[in-house]
Amino acid sequence: MLNVVLITGISGSGKSVALRLLEDTGYTCVDNLPVPFLEEFLYRAQDTGIERVAVAIDVRAPGDLHQLPGTIAHLREAGLPIRVIFLDASDHTLIQRYSESRRRHPLTDRLRQEGQSPSLQTCINMERHLLAPLRETEHVIDTTDLTPGQLRSWVRDLVQAERAPVVLTFMSFAYKRGVPGDADLIFDVRCLPNPHYDPALRPLTGKDEPVAKWLSQFGTVENMINDIAGFVERWLPLYMQDTRNYLTVGIGCTGGQHRSVYVTEQLALRFAHHSPLLIRHRNQPPADLPL
């Protein structure tokens, strides 16, 4: 049976956030689908074996929005279950969001053509009037005080979508080459003892046994690894609750060769139970080049 979620509601209430969440959880998503195409699209999707579809329809659909409640009822009577999520927010919040994004309300041109004053408040009032039949009969989420992460979590729970596991990446890097822009958390291990000053260890990396053995003899190195691992272990569930898909932990030392590589490898061992888990060494030279 085709699983259908229809996202609608007031412009600026978070429909794009909700639709992107559904897309990330495996739904085939269509934004701003004209109402007359809804039935044909859903039946075609069902015939082609698509299992999950999410559609966003709102006042951008020109002239046909009044047909949407009847179309939904007809599809439900025909045995096609449709879960409708209506997103709303207070006028004050909507105005603030429009001010921050500097976007035009989709009803601005329509009101101007009808000879009305296209103020933002007028557009919001008209939109509420047009969408009132849907708001009165479908599930409503008020996003006034919700963060985007909370909204994604609420929508996910409502449609009972599976939570995709967070891709956890531990990445070593060299401060002398700059902090990586894709790291979410940064830990500086330049305070640890440096194998670089041992001529026998200098050409090796933190992945080599002699360097690993040398670093493991220091209690400060073990304490640093324990502290970073404890921090990530404590806060990772909250990052997952925020519906984050990726979490990259950057470990930096001066050259990105010894200490950061060793700590990164040790952290990866601590979190070997997490899947998917990635290990990246950003500034390791190719194997065929001298270090």
Side-chain angles (χ1 to χ4, degrees):
M1 177 64 68
L2 181 65
N3 183 353
V4 182
V5 177
L6 193 151
I7 303 292
T8 188
I10 305 300
S11 302
S13 60
K15 296 189 296 297
S16 296
V17 172
L19 199 65
R20 284 195 296 269
L21 177 278
L22 293 171
E23 184 175 27
D24 289 343
T25 55
Y27 279 75
T28 298
C29 296
V30 178
D31 190 18
N32 195 22
L33 182 70
V35 177
F37 297 162
L38 180 60
E39 286 195 54
E40 180 183 356
F41 170 71
L42 293 182
Y43 285 129
R44 183 67 62 87
Q46 189 174 42
D47 291 342
T48 55
I50 296 176
E51 297 181 354
R52 296 190 290 182
V53 169
V55 178
I57 299 178
D58 49 42
V59 293
R60 291 172 295 171
D64 299 312
L65 193 60
H66 66 281
Q67 300 177 7
L68 185 55
T71 301
I72 294 172
H74 180 262
L75 288 168
R76 285 171 173 167
E77 291 172 358
L80 190 62
I82 299 181
R83 185 188 300 274
V84 179
I85 301 176
F86 189 103
L87 301 182
D88 200 355
S90 68
D91 286 5
H92 174 76
T93 298
L94 294 172
I95 292 173
Q96 184 178 18
R97 289 174 182 173
Y98 268 99
S99 175
E100 292 172 352
S101 66
R102 300 186 178 183
R103 295 184 60 193
R104 280 161 43 96
H105 193 282
L107 288 179
T108 300
D109 291 337
R110 175 175 171 179
L111 287 175
R112 182 179 289 114
Q113 292 172 1
E114 294 176 355
Q116 300 185 47
S117 173
S119 69
L120 181 54
Q121 185 63 63
T122 301
C123 291
I124 293 173
N125 293 342
M126 174 61 73
E127 187 174 26
R128 291 196 183 282
H129 172 73
L130 294 172
L131 293 173
L134 283 171
R135 193 187 193 285
E136 294 169 359
T137 58
E138 303 297 344
H139 183 85
V140 178
I141 296 179
D142 188 337
T143 68
T144 298
D145 298 315
L146 296 184
T147 65
Q150 288 174 314
L151 174 58
R152 289 191 291 267
S153 180
W154 285 25
V155 171
R156 188 197 299 271
D157 291 340
L158 185 61
V159 303
Q160 298 178 344
E162 296 181 359
R163 292 181 179 270
V166 170
V167 178
L168 178 60
T169 302
F170 288 104
M171 175 176 62
S172 69
F173 69 93
Y175 270 100
K176 69 179 183 180
R177 298 187 183 180
V179 176
D182 56 346
D184 301 294
L185 301 174
I186 295 289
F187 293 95
D188 185 349
V189 299
R190 288 176 292 182
C191 62
L192 300 180
N194 193 350
H196 173 80
Y197 297 108
D198 186 325
L201 300 178
R202 185 176 301 171
L204 304 178
T205 76
K207 296 174 67 174
D208 293 314
E209 181 61 28
V211 174
K213 184 177 180 179
W214 188 87
L215 285 169
S216 66
Q217 68 180 315
F218 297 99
T220 52
V221 175
E222 182 70 14
N223 290 338
M224 177 70 79
I225 294 170
N226 288 338
D227 287 346
I228 297 174
F231 183 92
V232 175
E233 185 174 6
R234 178 179 180 181
W235 294 105
L236 181 58
L238 287 182
Y239 281 107
M240 296 173 66
Q241 184 178 343
D242 189 45
T243 66
R244 180 185 295 264
N245 294 311
Y246 303 90
L247 181 66
T248 299
V249 181
I251 310 296
C253 66
T254 305
Q257 177 180 333
H258 297 112
R259 295 166 291 179
S260 62
V261 172
Y262 173 75
V263 172
T264 296
E265 291 288 331
Q266 291 301 306
L267 288 168
L269 290 175
R270 300 281 185 95
F271 287 85
H273 59 280
H274 183 92
S275 181
L277 176 70
L278 301 177
I279 305 171
R280 297 285 184 265
H281 297 298
R282 184 167 177 252
N283 299 125
Q284 286 289 282
D288 58 344
L289 293 181
L291 293 170

